[in-house]
Amino acid sequence: MATSGGTDSFELGDYLGMLRRRWLIVLALTCVGIVLAGAYYKTARKTYTATAAVYVNATATNNNATFGRTSGPVNMDNEAQIAQSEIVAAIAARRMHSTLPLQTLLKQISVTVPANTTVLDISCKGRPKAAVPTCANDFAAAYLSVRQSETTATISSALSALQSKSRALTAQISRLRAELAALPSSSARHTTANLELNAANSQLAAVDTQINQLVPELSSLQAPRNTLAGHVITPAVLPTSPSSPRALLLLPSGLLAGLLIGLIVAFIAERRDNRVHSARDVERLLDLPEIGRAHV
């Protein structure tokens, strides 16, 4: 014969037996969890999200948008911050005729940059459903307006500086030519002035090349409805389902919560049950050894 001392521990067989006896409790509470999650989903305040995708063009001040994000000439992290700035929000609010404080309006906006692109995904989250596409599209338009204004101002400033330098070089070249005409060709000053003239001509050619690049770009930027600074590649549309709460997240969460609570309640009920269901219960409840047959 084999004997074993009493124990208050549960083994795998005890848990399986508990599930066989208490499955109705587990099932009922699991169903309650699903029903409560479904009821919350039906009654909770729905919020919707719409997204407008904006392509950010490189300009003459950053004319190679090869990589995106911060590794390329267009710093997309900076552009994302500009798209969520108060100056953009102010323009968007005027377009939407919104009376909300700018900080409140900005809380509805999120901006992301898909990897290795120069695209801004500008999203607006709120309600009612019909308002969020307008919000996203107006923020996209406001961002493009600010980017165009800043690019125009930057190019105008650069062009003004280059034109000023061109005038100074032109005056220097005229002075050097007059000086050379009056100097003997064999003099040391003639040689020096000639070198200065060549250097000034080279600088003027480089400056004029930059001016010739910036003038047409500035004209294009100042033209109505131009897309040189960027453009919307995918406008926001009416969302088909709420972004919060999400049924695919909420219902499984309700099921898991109900199942967990059901298992806990079933375990507590099993611990408080003094009835004997098996030989293991005799050992556990009465602290008596379980007697088994020895096999010959």
Short mmCIF file of all heavy atoms in Angstrom, two decimals, residues 56 74-91 106 109 111 120 122 139-140 142-148 150-151:
data_model
loop_
_atom_site.label_atom_id
_atom_site.label_comp_id
_atom_site.label_asym_id
_atom_site.label_seq_id
_atom_site.Cartn_x
_atom_site.Cartn_y
_atom_site.Cartn_z
N VAL A 56 5.52 66.89 -49.69
CA VAL A 56 6.32 68.09 -49.45
C VAL A 56 7.43 68.15 -50.50
O VAL A 56 8.34 67.31 -50.50
CB VAL A 56 6.92 68.08 -48.03
CG1 VAL A 56 7.73 69.36 -47.79
CG2 VAL A 56 5.82 67.94 -46.99
N VAL A 74 15.01 68.08 -46.91
CA VAL A 74 13.72 68.47 -46.33
C VAL A 74 13.61 67.76 -44.99
O VAL A 74 13.42 66.54 -44.93
CB VAL A 74 12.54 68.09 -47.24
CG1 VAL A 74 11.23 68.54 -46.60
CG2 VAL A 74 12.70 68.71 -48.61
N ASN A 75 13.73 68.50 -43.90
CA ASN A 75 13.66 67.92 -42.57
C ASN A 75 12.19 67.67 -42.23
O ASN A 75 11.47 68.57 -41.81
CB ASN A 75 14.32 68.86 -41.55
CG ASN A 75 14.45 68.22 -40.19
OD1 ASN A 75 13.56 67.51 -39.73
ND2 ASN A 75 15.56 68.47 -39.54
N MET A 76 11.75 66.43 -42.40
CA MET A 76 10.34 66.12 -42.25
C MET A 76 9.86 66.19 -40.80
O MET A 76 8.69 66.42 -40.54
CB MET A 76 10.03 64.75 -42.85
CG MET A 76 10.24 64.67 -44.37
SD MET A 76 9.30 65.92 -45.27
CE MET A 76 7.62 65.36 -44.97
N ASP A 77 10.76 65.99 -39.86
CA ASP A 77 10.38 66.15 -38.46
C ASP A 77 10.02 67.62 -38.17
O ASP A 77 9.07 67.91 -37.45
CB ASP A 77 11.50 65.68 -37.53
CG ASP A 77 11.65 64.17 -37.54
OD1 ASP A 77 10.64 63.49 -37.77
OD2 ASP A 77 12.76 63.67 -37.33
N ASN A 78 10.81 68.53 -38.74
CA ASN A 78 10.50 69.95 -38.60
C ASN A 78 9.18 70.28 -39.28
O ASN A 78 8.36 71.05 -38.75
CB ASN A 78 11.62 70.81 -39.20
CG ASN A 78 12.82 70.91 -38.28
OD1 ASN A 78 12.77 70.49 -37.14
ND2 ASN A 78 13.90 71.45 -38.80
N GLU A 79 8.97 69.72 -40.48
CA GLU A 79 7.73 69.98 -41.21
C GLU A 79 6.52 69.47 -40.43
O GLU A 79 5.45 70.10 -40.42
CB GLU A 79 7.78 69.35 -42.60
CG GLU A 79 8.87 69.89 -43.51
CD GLU A 79 8.76 71.39 -43.72
OE1 GLU A 79 7.64 71.90 -43.91
OE2 GLU A 79 9.81 72.07 -43.71
N ALA A 80 6.67 68.33 -39.77
CA ALA A 80 5.57 67.78 -38.96
C ALA A 80 5.23 68.72 -37.80
O ALA A 80 4.06 68.90 -37.45
CB ALA A 80 5.94 66.40 -38.43
N GLN A 81 6.27 69.32 -37.19
CA GLN A 81 6.03 70.27 -36.11
C GLN A 81 5.36 71.54 -36.62
O GLN A 81 4.47 72.10 -35.96
CB GLN A 81 7.35 70.62 -35.42
CG GLN A 81 7.98 69.46 -34.65
CD GLN A 81 7.05 68.90 -33.59
OE1 GLN A 81 6.47 69.65 -32.81
NE2 GLN A 81 6.89 67.59 -33.57
N ILE A 82 5.76 72.00 -37.80
CA ILE A 82 5.13 73.19 -38.39
C ILE A 82 3.65 72.92 -38.66
O ILE A 82 2.79 73.78 -38.42
CB ILE A 82 5.86 73.59 -39.69
CG1 ILE A 82 7.27 74.09 -39.38
CG2 ILE A 82 5.07 74.67 -40.44
CD1 ILE A 82 8.13 74.29 -40.61
N ALA A 83 3.34 71.72 -39.15
CA ALA A 83 1.95 71.38 -39.46
C ALA A 83 1.07 71.38 -38.22
O ALA A 83 -0.16 71.49 -38.32
CB ALA A 83 1.88 70.02 -40.15
N GLN A 84 1.69 71.25 -37.03
CA GLN A 84 0.93 71.26 -35.77
C GLN A 84 1.17 72.54 -34.98
O GLN A 84 0.93 72.57 -33.77
CB GLN A 84 1.34 70.05 -34.92
CG GLN A 84 1.07 68.71 -35.57
CD GLN A 84 1.68 67.56 -34.79
OE1 GLN A 84 1.08 67.02 -33.85
NE2 GLN A 84 2.89 67.16 -35.16
N SER A 85 1.63 73.58 -35.65
CA SER A 85 1.92 74.84 -34.96
C SER A 85 0.67 75.72 -34.87
O SER A 85 -0.32 75.51 -35.57
CB SER A 85 3.03 75.59 -35.71
OG SER A 85 2.57 75.96 -37.00
N GLU A 86 0.74 76.72 -34.00
CA GLU A 86 -0.40 77.60 -33.81
C GLU A 86 -0.65 78.48 -35.04
O GLU A 86 -1.80 78.83 -35.31
CB GLU A 86 -0.18 78.48 -32.57
CG GLU A 86 -0.29 77.72 -31.26
CD GLU A 86 -0.40 78.65 -30.06
OE1 GLU A 86 -0.40 79.88 -30.26
OE2 GLU A 86 -0.51 78.14 -28.93
N ILE A 87 0.41 78.82 -35.78
CA ILE A 87 0.20 79.64 -36.97
C ILE A 87 -0.62 78.88 -38.02
O ILE A 87 -1.50 79.44 -38.67
CB ILE A 87 1.56 80.12 -37.55
CG1 ILE A 87 1.32 81.10 -38.69
CG2 ILE A 87 2.42 78.96 -38.01
CD1 ILE A 87 2.60 81.78 -39.17
N VAL A 88 -0.35 77.57 -38.15
CA VAL A 88 -1.14 76.74 -39.07
C VAL A 88 -2.56 76.58 -38.52
O VAL A 88 -3.55 76.67 -39.26
CB VAL A 88 -0.47 75.38 -39.27
CG1 VAL A 88 -1.39 74.41 -40.02
CG2 VAL A 88 0.84 75.54 -40.05
N ALA A 89 -2.66 76.35 -37.21
CA ALA A 89 -3.98 76.17 -36.60
C ALA A 89 -4.84 77.42 -36.76
O ALA A 89 -6.05 77.33 -36.98
CB ALA A 89 -3.83 75.84 -35.11
N ALA A 90 -4.22 78.60 -36.67
CA ALA A 90 -4.98 79.85 -36.81
C ALA A 90 -5.57 79.97 -38.22
O ALA A 90 -6.73 80.37 -38.40
CB ALA A 90 -4.08 81.04 -36.50
N ILE A 91 -4.76 79.62 -39.23
CA ILE A 91 -5.26 79.68 -40.61
C ILE A 91 -6.36 78.64 -40.83
O ILE A 91 -7.40 78.94 -41.44
CB ILE A 91 -4.09 79.46 -41.60
CG1 ILE A 91 -3.07 80.59 -41.47
CG2 ILE A 91 -4.61 79.37 -43.03
CD1 ILE A 91 -1.80 80.35 -42.26
N LEU A 106 -5.73 72.03 -31.75
CA LEU A 106 -4.52 71.26 -32.04
C LEU A 106 -4.53 69.88 -31.39
O LEU A 106 -3.85 68.96 -31.87
CB LEU A 106 -3.28 72.03 -31.60
CG LEU A 106 -2.85 73.17 -32.53
CD1 LEU A 106 -1.77 74.03 -31.88
CD2 LEU A 106 -2.36 72.62 -33.86
N ILE A 109 -5.42 67.15 -33.70
CA ILE A 109 -4.55 66.94 -34.86
C ILE A 109 -3.36 66.07 -34.49
O ILE A 109 -2.74 66.25 -33.44
CB ILE A 109 -4.05 68.29 -35.41
CG1 ILE A 109 -5.22 69.18 -35.80
CG2 ILE A 109 -3.13 68.08 -36.60
CD1 ILE A 109 -6.13 68.59 -36.87
N VAL A 111 0.16 64.34 -36.65
CA VAL A 111 0.90 64.33 -37.92
C VAL A 111 1.96 63.24 -37.86
O VAL A 111 2.75 63.19 -36.90
CB VAL A 111 1.56 65.69 -38.21
CG1 VAL A 111 2.31 65.64 -39.54
CG2 VAL A 111 0.51 66.80 -38.23
N LEU A 120 3.53 64.01 -45.42
CA LEU A 120 2.93 64.23 -44.10
C LEU A 120 1.51 63.67 -44.11
O LEU A 120 0.71 64.04 -44.97
CB LEU A 120 2.87 65.72 -43.76
CG LEU A 120 4.19 66.46 -43.56
CD1 LEU A 120 3.91 67.93 -43.27
CD2 LEU A 120 5.00 65.85 -42.44
N ILE A 122 -1.65 64.09 -42.23
CA ILE A 122 -2.27 65.01 -41.27
C ILE A 122 -3.65 64.47 -40.93
O ILE A 122 -4.54 64.42 -41.78
CB ILE A 122 -2.35 66.43 -41.85
CG1 ILE A 122 -0.95 66.93 -42.21
CG2 ILE A 122 -3.02 67.38 -40.85
CD1 ILE A 122 -0.93 68.30 -42.87
N PHE A 139 -6.45 71.79 -42.45
CA PHE A 139 -5.12 71.84 -41.85
C PHE A 139 -4.05 71.59 -42.91
O PHE A 139 -2.98 72.22 -42.89
CB PHE A 139 -4.98 70.82 -40.71
CG PHE A 139 -5.14 71.44 -39.35
CD1 PHE A 139 -6.39 71.59 -38.79
CD2 PHE A 139 -4.04 71.89 -38.64
CE1 PHE A 139 -6.55 72.17 -37.54
CE2 PHE A 139 -4.18 72.47 -37.39
CZ PHE A 139 -5.44 72.62 -36.84
N ALA A 140 -4.32 70.67 -43.84
CA ALA A 140 -3.37 70.42 -44.93
C ALA A 140 -3.20 71.67 -45.79
O ALA A 140 -2.07 72.06 -46.13
CB ALA A 140 -3.85 69.24 -45.78
N ALA A 142 -3.80 74.76 -44.86
CA ALA A 142 -3.16 75.79 -44.05
C ALA A 142 -1.65 75.56 -43.97
O ALA A 142 -0.85 76.50 -44.06
CB ALA A 142 -3.76 75.82 -42.65
N TYR A 143 -1.25 74.31 -43.80
CA TYR A 143 0.19 73.99 -43.76
C TYR A 143 0.86 74.37 -45.07
O TYR A 143 1.94 74.98 -45.08
CB TYR A 143 0.39 72.50 -43.47
CG TYR A 143 1.76 72.02 -43.87
CD1 TYR A 143 2.88 72.35 -43.11
CD2 TYR A 143 1.95 71.28 -45.04
CE1 TYR A 143 4.15 71.96 -43.49
CE2 TYR A 143 3.21 70.88 -45.43
CZ TYR A 143 4.31 71.21 -44.65
OH TYR A 143 5.57 70.82 -45.04
N LEU A 144 0.23 74.01 -46.20
CA LEU A 144 0.81 74.33 -47.50
C LEU A 144 0.91 75.84 -47.71
O LEU A 144 1.87 76.34 -48.31
CB LEU A 144 -0.02 73.69 -48.61
CG LEU A 144 0.11 72.17 -48.73
CD1 LEU A 144 -0.89 71.62 -49.74
CD2 LEU A 144 1.53 71.77 -49.14
N SER A 145 -0.08 76.57 -47.21
CA SER A 145 -0.06 78.03 -47.30
C SER A 145 1.13 78.61 -46.53
O SER A 145 1.84 79.49 -47.02
CB SER A 145 -1.37 78.60 -46.77
OG SER A 145 -1.33 80.00 -46.72
N VAL A 146 1.34 78.09 -45.31
CA VAL A 146 2.46 78.56 -44.49
C VAL A 146 3.78 78.18 -45.14
O VAL A 146 4.72 79.00 -45.21
CB VAL A 146 2.36 77.99 -43.07
CG1 VAL A 146 3.66 78.23 -42.29
CG2 VAL A 146 1.18 78.59 -42.33
N ARG A 147 3.88 76.94 -45.64
CA ARG A 147 5.13 76.51 -46.28
C ARG A 147 5.43 77.36 -47.52
O ARG A 147 6.58 77.75 -47.75
CB ARG A 147 5.06 75.04 -46.65
CG ARG A 147 6.30 74.56 -47.41
CD ARG A 147 6.37 73.05 -47.50
NE ARG A 147 7.42 72.63 -48.42
CZ ARG A 147 8.72 72.64 -48.17
NH1 ARG A 147 9.15 73.06 -46.98
NH2 ARG A 147 9.59 72.24 -49.08
N GLN A 148 4.40 77.66 -48.31
CA GLN A 148 4.61 78.47 -49.50
C GLN A 148 5.06 79.88 -49.12
O GLN A 148 5.98 80.43 -49.73
CB GLN A 148 3.33 78.54 -50.34
CG GLN A 148 3.48 79.38 -51.59
CD GLN A 148 2.25 79.37 -52.46
OE1 GLN A 148 1.46 78.43 -52.41
NE2 GLN A 148 2.06 80.40 -53.25
N GLU A 150 6.61 80.82 -46.34
CA GLU A 150 7.97 80.80 -45.79
C GLU A 150 9.00 80.55 -46.89
O GLU A 150 10.07 81.15 -46.89
CB GLU A 150 8.07 79.71 -44.71
CG GLU A 150 7.29 80.04 -43.44
CD GLU A 150 7.43 78.96 -42.38
OE1 GLU A 150 7.93 77.86 -42.72
OE2 GLU A 150 7.06 79.23 -41.23
N THR A 151 8.67 79.67 -47.84
CA THR A 151 9.60 79.40 -48.95
C THR A 151 9.76 80.64 -49.81
O THR A 151 10.88 80.98 -50.24
CB THR A 151 9.09 78.22 -49.79
OG1 THR A 151 8.92 77.07 -48.96
CG2 THR A 151 10.06 77.88 -50.91
#
